[in-house]
Amino acid sequence: MTAKQIIDELDAAMPNAYTTEDKLRWLNEIDGRAWLEIFGTHELNDGEELPEEVEYTLENMDTAETLIGKPFSDVYFYWLQSKIHYRNQEFNYYDNTHAMFNSAWRAYANHYRRTHVPVQVGRKWV
């Protein structure tokens, strides 16, 4: 999916007053977290290439593919929803959407960790 597709889906389901720039910044946040917590901790499989790290901007949002693809792309939708509810101080809605985000995030992280070997770090025993 592209960043624009995710934002369009969100805006259709949940009209809001936040700018596209805000939503792109939030998408960049969650991709940064994916790099640190998931991609950076596991080896690539044979023949697999690491997705290109992209910063979503107004100029590339139509073409930039998200790091996390289908069927796990709902991670982005729930992340944006939870950010909006938090900023609006709608904490009951935030709790629900953030729980949905956490579930989707764990599902993706668990899938990736099941299908990739952890990075092997040499230990030096003293």
Side-chain angles (χ1 to χ4, degrees):
M1 292 190 83
T2 66
K4 182 175 181 356
Q5 289 173 317
I6 292 167
I7 291 171
D8 288 347
E9 181 181 340
L10 173 80
D11 289 342
M14 185 180 164
N16 61 83
Y18 293 92
T19 66
T20 301
E21 290 89 347
D22 290 331
K23 295 168 198 158
L24 291 170
R25 188 177 68 252
W26 296 334
L27 289 174
N28 286 320
E29 282 177 14
I30 197 60
D31 270 2
R33 187 173 161 190
W35 274 99
L36 288 173
E37 295 180 15
I38 299 172
F39 301 124
T41 61
H42 288 75
E43 302 284 346
L44 295 174
N45 293 327
D46 289 338
E48 187 177 32
E49 291 184 24
L50 197 58
E52 185 177 328
E53 188 172 9
V54 174
E55 182 171 339
Y56 307 116
T57 64
L58 290 173
E59 291 76 31
N60 71 5
M61 66 184 273
D62 292 339
T63 57
E65 292 288 325
T66 56
L67 288 178
I68 301 171
K70 289 183 179 181
F72 299 101
S73 55
D74 56 344
V75 164
Y76 295 106
F77 185 74
Y78 295 136
W79 176 254
L80 291 177
Q81 276 190 324
S82 69
K83 295 295 265 189
I84 289 170
H85 289 311
Y86 184 81
R87 300 280 174 144
N88 289 343
Q89 298 181 355
E90 301 166 336
F91 296 116
N92 287 334
Y93 293 125
Y94 167 78
D95 288 343
N96 291 335
T97 55
H98 202 69
M100 292 165 60
F101 161 75
N102 282 332
S103 177
W105 178 263
R106 275 193 311 275
Y108 177 70
N110 289 342
H111 165 75
Y112 195 88
R113 291 173 181 142
R114 274 192 313 272
T115 58
H116 293 80
V117 176
V119 170
Q120 301 301 309
V121 177
R123 295 187 185 256
K124 183 176 181 180
W125 301 97
V126 179

